[in-house]
Amino acid sequence: MLAAFATLDFPLTDVQVFHTDRGSEFDNTRIDELLDVFDIKRSLSRKGNPYDNAVVESTNRLLRKELVYRNHYTTIEQLRHDLNDYVCWSDNRRLHSTLGYRSPKEFTEQGLVL
């Protein structure tokens, strides 16, 4: 897992959150130390709830398909800009079948829950 961090082509100081499930490969003191040194927040799935990780994996898949694979980024700033635009669009305008073809913002404003 530490080798994956070494392949990044941007500084670790640019990473804010590292999400993992609770698998034993992530229960690692060296990873914890690396995250602490670079002040990276760890996001974990709730114990016994594999759905947490499924949501993150689904979101990551959509990001790659709809944003990353369609563009070529030469700087982290370009990626951040497009990512912010994508998240704003996805939260406010994109209709989700799981939410009854509402945007997440509309779903939340209507006080609905899954």
Side-chain angles (χ1 to χ4, degrees):
M1 177 51 71
L2 288 175
F5 284 105
T7 66
L8 297 176
D9 60 356
F10 53 87
L12 281 175
T13 53
D14 288 348
V15 177
Q16 295 177 359
V17 178
F18 178 70
H19 180 82
T20 66
D21 60 15
R22 293 185 176 267
S24 61
E25 65 271 22
F26 299 108
D27 184 18
N28 184 315
T29 303
R30 291 177 63 201
I31 290 174
D32 291 339
E33 290 170 354
L34 179 111
L35 298 178
D36 286 342
V37 165
F38 289 97
D39 198 27
I40 300 170
K41 180 182 176 190
R42 178 174 274 212
S43 167
L44 288 172
S45 297
R46 288 174 291 187
K47 196 169 192 170
N49 190 350
Y51 182 69
D52 282 355
N53 205 45
V55 171
V56 171
E57 289 174 3
S58 175
T59 301
N60 285 340
R61 185 182 67 248
L62 281 173
L63 275 171
R64 286 191 306 270
K65 178 181 172 186
E66 297 179 350
L67 182 71
V68 176
Y69 296 154
R70 292 181 180 186
N71 299 288
H72 176 74
Y73 296 101
T74 56
T75 68
I76 193 72
E77 289 78 22
Q78 289 174 327
L79 175 60
R80 280 189 179 134
H81 177 269
D82 283 4
L83 180 59
N84 286 337
D85 287 349
Y86 179 86
V87 169
C88 184
W89 168 78
S90 182
D91 286 350
N92 295 297
R93 303 191 50 101
R94 183 178 197 193
L95 304 181
H96 296 261
S97 60
T98 305
L99 305 178
Y101 293 96
R102 296 174 186 89
S103 71
K105 180 180 179 184
E106 181 183 11
F107 188 83
T108 302
E109 287 174 344
Q110 292 178 357
L112 302 171
V113 293
L114 292 177

